[in-house]
Amino acid sequence: MSRELKFSYSLVSIFALALLSMLSWSVSVSHTKSNNPGQAEVVLNNFCPPGFQLVNQQCLFRSLYQNYDSLKNQGLGGLKIALPPAYRDGFSPVLIDLGRYLFFDPILSPDGKMSCATCHDPDKGFSDGLGRSLGSNGEPLDRSAPSLWNVAFYDKFFWDGRSKTLEEQAVGPLFDPREMANNPIRLLETINDNAAYRGLFRQVYGQGTTITLDQIVTALTAFQSTLISLNSRYDQYAHGYSEALNEDEKAGLNVFRSFVARCGECHTPPLFTNQQMAVIGTPEPEGMARDLGAEGVTGDRSQRASFKVPSLRNIALTAPYMHSGRFATLREAAEFYTKGRGHAVPAGEELSIHWHIWEPKLTDQELDRVVDFLHTLTDESFKPVVPQQLPSGLQLAH
């Protein structure tokens, strides 16, 4: 079979798989009668979310990007670049679906009013539309909620990079006194006292199971690993469909990946992040003290105000921008990078600005075209179904 024919066959197969998965997932909510009014007894899905293939009871991710070899397509200008090799998949369909219910259920919070989806709303790019997220007491936190799209590919989490796995990332907000403000003992008592959730965990782990924290965290990890956004118009263009982008968007892509703008050096396709930490010197909101960033984790002075390079996937849905929501629009955020290296750093403040940050001096037209291009990275085709009824009987909190 020729390389071209094999590629075309792969394209058709993957798109067909995604379509069948989406059709199945859209009718996935199945309830049986419950003896406890207000609580839904749920039958967990035995099929995979869109974009995944069921193999030996494991959901395995499938993407055209898996056909590409990064070693042969490296470079700022390349389009057909492979995904990172370390990818979290292989979870069972029932475990993924259990994680979906837990993610949207405010039973994870002590007062039953806050869920993971409160700060990571699928309708807001899995962020919350706030410059600084609100904690359990309604007070603003220090930073915005990062999007969860494509987190299965990441090797560090949070703006300051303090966690290295999805499991660590899940535990942090649950027990942070300023965020969800729960604690392990109370969470496990609440979940184990809930008949509906005992039934769900039995579907995954078998009879006689006492629900553990590891099981809860693994379920949340399994669900988050399925939040894949790689079917945007940009991706169609990268895979060879030249008409997926209009002329302004193509011009924006050319500026984005040029050695003048150098956007792609940090926001590297296909994830549009290089997953590194960087000091860019973005200003804090008026009246807010300088966020130490990674220096607060490592103690390394050179990492003062260093933050993880965020992905630009679905970036048009997650305003405002930067770690504390300093810029209201994509145009403002893009313009920050062309105003000069360190231009927003206050007098007397010394920061080790990343060497990629320089003075490209882009024109207004070039900035507009970059923004046009960034909108082509929007893709919610694999957005999960939000449960209409929760096992806890509580109201959706997102």
Side-chain angles (χ1 to χ4, degrees), residues 123-235:
D123 291 333
K124 297 176 181 176
F126 277 99
S127 186
D128 58 10
L130 301 174
R132 296 164 60 194
S133 296
L134 301 179
S136 60
N137 61 2
E139 295 296 320
L141 302 173
D142 296 330
R143 299 168 185 160
S144 63
S147 172
L148 297 181
W149 283 115
N150 298 324
V151 290
F153 297 99
Y154 292 174
D155 58 16
K156 59 179 69 69
F157 301 88
F158 297 105
W159 280 104
D160 56 16
R162 64 183 180 272
S163 293
K164 305 304 179 187
T165 67
L166 271 170
E167 287 82 355
E168 285 184 47
Q169 176 268 336
V171 171
L174 280 174
F175 305 133
D176 189 307
R178 297 184 62 198
E179 296 190 45
M180 295 183 76
N182 213 334
N183 64 65
I185 294 176
R186 180 167 50 199
L187 174 60
L188 291 176
E189 286 179 349
T190 303
I191 292 289
N192 278 286
D193 285 346
N194 186 282
Y197 270 112
R198 289 200 305 272
L200 292 183
F201 277 83
R202 279 196 298 270
Q203 290 182 48
V204 177
Y205 294 104
Q207 298 292 327
T209 298
T210 298
I211 302 169
T212 68
L213 182 59
D214 283 347
Q215 291 171 346
I216 294 172
V217 170
T218 301
L220 289 169
T221 295
F223 169 67
Q224 290 179 76
S225 75
T226 68
L227 304 179
I228 304 299
S229 180
L230 293 170
N231 287 325
S232 68
R233 288 192 295 116
Y234 161 80
D235 297 297

